[in-house]
Amino acid sequence: MTQTTNLLEKIPGTLSEEFFETQVETKAVRIERIISKGHSSPKKGWYDQDRNEWVLVLKGAARLGLEDGSEVYMGPGDSLEIPAHVKHKVLWTTPDEETIWLCVHYD
Amino acid sequence: MTQTTNLLEKIPGTLSEEFFETQVETKAVRIERIISKGHSSPKKGWYDQDRNEWVLVLKGAARLGLEDGSEVYMGPGDSLEIPAHVKHKVLWTTPDEETIWLCVHYD
């Protein structure tokens, strides 16, 4: 357990799709790293999740869209709580550098 | 819920003690920001927690000590899983800049 994992390193060389990596998983919680590079959600798709989610941008930037039409810009250090079943999508992430997200999914 | 919170900003002007701030709390999980500046645990004290903890250094650096005598250095982006009841302490944090931690306590 004395082994640290650096979330800003070990970035895949190609990112044709978003990269998902679970850091911790128990019944109650899943902590996940996501790396995007210019990715966004499919135009018609929404994330509609059974669990609450808390997201934090570690690096890069993104714009999220919510079902009510509002948009949220997130840069480094910005965090956002997304309650279960609040539909959301990623509208934009920085195309020229990776956006590294930390996501905590929890009951 | 479209209000973001930036974890790198709103740093208290004086940090005579470590600063703790809960971001999210449910039965299963607590997400917390901690800001240290040269703080370390009391010499005789250990953290002995009933819950698992996952820590991430967002800014600054720290050295953790574990009951088995091992030490762990953590810089920006470094994360560490600390299972429940693994006794640990903070040996050192950067004295000249704030160390900002993200901690997830979970069942």
Side-chain angles (χ1 to χ4, degrees):
Chain A
M1 67 138 287
T2 60
Q3 189 60 51
T4 57
T5 301
N6 194 293
L7 302 188
L8 303 176
E9 295 173 358
K10 291 193 188 155
I11 301 199
T14 55
L15 282 165
S16 54
E17 305 207 349
E18 280 190 307
F19 176 80
F20 294 81
E21 186 184 57
T22 297
Q23 305 297 314
V24 159
E25 183 156 23
T26 67
K27 269 196 174 180
V29 72
R30 184 160 53 88
I31 302 176
E32 187 180 45
R33 175 170 79 145
I34 302 175
I35 306 178
S36 318
K37 191 171 179 181
H39 298 94
S40 58
S41 306
K43 284 215 167 155
K44 288 197 172 179
W46 292 94
Y47 287 115
D48 180 2
Q49 296 167 322
D50 290 336
R51 287 179 129 180
N52 304 303
E53 181 177 3
W54 182 87
V55 294
L56 167 65
V57 171
L58 298 176
K59 178 179 177 289
R63 224 172 57 239
L64 297 186
L66 300 162
E67 204 183 9
D68 65 5
S70 59
E71 293 191 8
V72 183
Y73 174 86
M74 298 183 72
D78 281 332
S79 66
L80 183 69
E81 203 179 331
I82 306 174
H85 295 300
V86 168
K87 291 183 191 169
H88 60 285
K89 61 169 73 180
V90 179
L91 297 173
W92 170 88
T93 55
T94 44
D96 42 3
E97 68 163 337
E98 296 82 11
T99 296
I100 304 182
W101 306 82
L102 180 77
C103 299
V104 183
H105 304 269
Y106 58 97
D107 292 330
Chain B
M1 64 138 290
T2 59
Q3 188 62 49
T4 58
T5 301
N6 193 292
L7 302 188
L8 303 176
E9 295 173 359
K10 290 194 188 154
I11 301 199
T14 56
L15 282 165
S16 54
E17 307 207 350
E18 280 189 306
F19 176 80
F20 294 80
E21 187 184 55
T22 297
Q23 305 297 314
V24 159
E25 184 158 22
T26 67
K27 269 196 176 179
V29 72
R30 184 160 54 88
I31 302 177
E32 188 179 44
R33 175 171 78 146
I34 302 176
I35 306 177
S36 318
K37 192 172 180 182
H39 298 93
S40 58
S41 306
K43 284 215 168 153
K44 288 196 172 179
W46 291 95
Y47 287 114
D48 180 3
Q49 295 167 324
D50 289 336
R51 287 179 129 180
N52 306 302
E53 182 178 2
W54 181 87
V55 293
L56 167 67
V57 171
L58 298 176
K59 177 178 177 289
R63 225 172 55 240
L64 296 187
L66 301 162
E67 204 183 7
D68 66 5
S70 59
E71 293 190 9
V72 184
Y73 174 85
M74 298 183 70
D78 281 331
S79 66
L80 183 70
E81 203 180 331
I82 306 174
H85 295 299
V86 169
K87 291 182 190 169
H88 59 284
K89 61 169 72 179
V90 179
L91 298 173
W92 170 87
T93 54
T94 44
D96 43 2
E97 67 162 338
E98 296 82 11
T99 297
I100 304 183
W101 308 80
L102 179 78
C103 300
V104 184
H105 304 270
Y106 58 98
D107 292 330

